[in-house]
Amino acid sequence: MSGAAAPGGRTGNGTEWDYVHTPRRMRTTVLVLAAVIILVHVVWAIILVRGDTGVTLGIADQLAFVVTGFIFAGVLLTLLRVRVRAGEPGVEVTGPIRTRLWPWEDVVGLTFPRSSYWPRLELPAYEHVGIWAIQTFDGADGVDAMSGLREVVRSYKPSAADPETVADR
């Protein structure tokens, strides 16, 4: 789902999120690249047994090429998990491997540095975490996503939504 969550949008554990965003462009790119990876490995499996290359490749070798392609595509598909959610419990950032929830008392701010491809959730002790779900590559969708997230952050922790006060911490 992209943008704000529908009212009453609950997760399996009963948590209601005010905002949910997944990167649309990255999702499309990942799906296309995964399909290309599988297709290339299947083609390699077929082409490498044709002709006289001096190497004998059998069915097991062909199958290994295809399985390797599926493994690479599967690793790439973990990027489909990338998402950001915000609501009463705090801000939850999901990356390719894990999901972390930061309660509002741990959120110092929300910034989008000019040199960065994605915004950062500022944490205590000058730590931060990148929010991969909102990217500059998404153009207007990314701007809308950042505005929506900033509004939700402002409703729960007003001091964290203003980038000027976060930069001066």
Side-chain angles (χ1 to χ4, degrees), residues 2-167:
S2 179
R10 294 183 181 270
T11 60
N13 63 2
T15 303
E16 186 168 334
W17 298 100
D18 298 328
Y19 179 82
V20 178
H21 181 76
T22 56
R24 191 174 300 157
R25 191 172 204 173
M26 181 166 54
R27 185 174 191 80
T28 304
T29 304
V30 164
L31 291 171
V32 168
L33 285 175
V36 167
I37 287 171
I38 292 171
L39 182 65
V40 165
H41 279 80
V42 168
V43 169
W44 279 351
I46 293 169
I47 289 176
L48 287 177
V49 295
R50 302 203 185 272
D52 187 22
T53 61
V55 178
T56 304
L57 296 173
I59 299 294
D61 300 312
Q62 287 179 300
L63 185 60
F65 272 111
V66 174
V67 169
T68 302
F70 276 103
I71 291 170
F72 287 153
V75 169
L76 184 64
L77 288 174
T78 62
L79 289 173
L80 294 178
R81 296 189 65 228
V82 172
R83 150 183 92 202
V84 62
R85 300 193 295 187
E88 190 175 340
V91 179
E92 182 185 81
V93 177
T94 301
I97 297 175
R98 69 179 185 171
T99 299
R100 294 271 320 257
L101 172 68
W102 283 275
W104 291 112
E105 55 268 8
D106 290 342
V107 175
V108 173
L110 182 64
T111 60
F112 205 137
R114 288 187 188 273
S115 62
S116 182
Y117 292 114
W118 45 77
R120 301 188 315 192
L121 185 65
E122 303 288 341
L123 303 170
Y126 295 97
E127 293 183 9
H128 66 271
V129 63
I131 302 174
W132 289 14
I134 302 172
Q135 302 180 359
T136 57
F137 303 120
D138 288 335
D141 188 41
V143 171
D144 293 340
M146 187 65 182
S147 297
L149 180 58
R150 202 175 291 282
E151 286 302 315
V152 173
V153 169
R154 185 173 287 118
S155 68
Y156 286 99
K157 190 162 185 180
S159 64
D162 183 18
E164 298 302 319
T165 59
V166 174

